[in-house]
Amino acid sequence: MNTFSTTRSQKCLCCRHLSNKNTFCATMNVAKSGYRVFSANSSAACTELAKKITERLGVELGKSVVFQESNRETRVAVNESVRGQTIFIIQTIPRDVNTAIMELLVMAYALKTSCAKNIIGVIPYFPYSKQCKMRKRGSIVCKLLASMLAKAGLTHIITMDLHQKEIQGFFSFPVDNLRASPFLIQYIQEEIPNYRNAIIVAKSPAAAKRAQSYAERLRLGLAVIHGEAQCSESDMADGRHSPPCVRNTTGHTGLELPLMMAKEKPPITVVGDVGGRIAIIVDDIIDDVGDFVAAAEILKERGAYKIYIMATHGLLSADAPRLIEESAIDEVVVTNTVPHEVQKLQCPKIKTVDVSMILAEAIRRIHNGESMAYLFRNITVDD
């Protein structure tokens, strides 16, 4: 009897031990397969988008603190375990771009040293994206930033409407370049009265492909502004002015290259009829609004009776709100990839479209290992 009781007792203890072990292993598997969402900035304006994304995902924002020391050094404290988990870092870029970059780098490195399994950066507006070409004796800063993010520990990036799609080649890890055009097109269809009488306008020949993509999906006409209003970025992008064209009379004179004739911009021209139409100018970034204001004045002179500007990233630096308010522009529509609440208070013409839905869906699909093709349906190559 005693032997039977002892054996049964040992079996019960053994079963209890195995049960506890299995429960512990199951808990560890759940933790390892889970994911967390952090914000790389603690300011209210920058965490607004992160909170909208986590609400759509049904998860809580990760516990972390990001702040500046008295000497302006960035300090990050992650207040929960991230071992073996997939981490998504949401970083919106405010006016202080360099501080935002350091916050992202320091947080990514902190998570890497805390043994996070994967670290995925959600950067709706990728900074320095305009510096993706060699200019004179400058540098391709966008490539440098891509290398820094990889070194800090990022293994994947989710972004939106890169200034040039070729930027994805700067990275040594996957990049998902989402599009805001479906949201902006929906705004045009639902919020612009009589949009069927509108015409899509490219403010320069460089933006014609993007404008054509919008025009084809909305079944609208296309106009292109050509001349003095266009950006001179392409004139300096290929290094033709480096080194400066100076003849050296003391050196070797056996080979003389012909001098390049300076470019002269043609007079301002609008290719397309905008008379009696609603003009909708589309672009990826609106920062210095001088070109947009000049384009709006030309379109008014050509007979357009309403002028809208649609852009993904509303940087709206310097006096942009005041210039928009005083211009012929009727409305500027941007997404919330960049915080611009202060600018909206200064200029009621600025409207915002929320894109947290597609960012949250991208996070969900990446975590579950699902295809991202659904997010790019009906998206053209030139968009």
Side-chain angles (χ1 to χ4, degrees), residues 75-147:
R75 184 176 291 272
V76 173
V78 180
N79 298 327
E80 60 181 285
S81 175
V82 296
R83 182 179 294 274
Q85 296 192 31
T86 297
I87 306 299
F88 294 87
I89 308 175
I90 301 173
Q91 178 64 314
T92 53
I93 307 297
R95 290 190 177 186
D96 192 353
V97 178
N98 296 327
T99 299
I101 291 172
M102 281 305 302
E103 290 170 346
L104 179 60
L105 292 171
V106 174
M107 173 159 279
Y109 191 69
L111 294 168
K112 177 183 177 181
T113 54
S114 298
C115 299
K117 182 180 179 181
N118 294 307
I119 304 172
I120 301 172
V122 183
I123 314 170
Y125 167 66
F126 194 80
Y128 287 99
S129 59
K130 284 190 174 182
Q131 298 190 43
C132 60
K133 297 179 180 179
M134 180 65 73
R135 298 167 183 252
K136 294 188 178 180
R137 294 185 179 88
S139 60
I140 305 176
V141 184
C142 194
K143 167 64 176 173
L144 172 63
L145 180 56
S147 301

Side-chain angles (χ1 to χ4, degrees), residues 144-159:
L144 172 63
L145 180 56
S147 301
M148 291 168 64
L149 292 174
K151 191 68 176 178
L154 264 68
T155 57
H156 195 145
I157 275 183
I158 302 171
T159 187

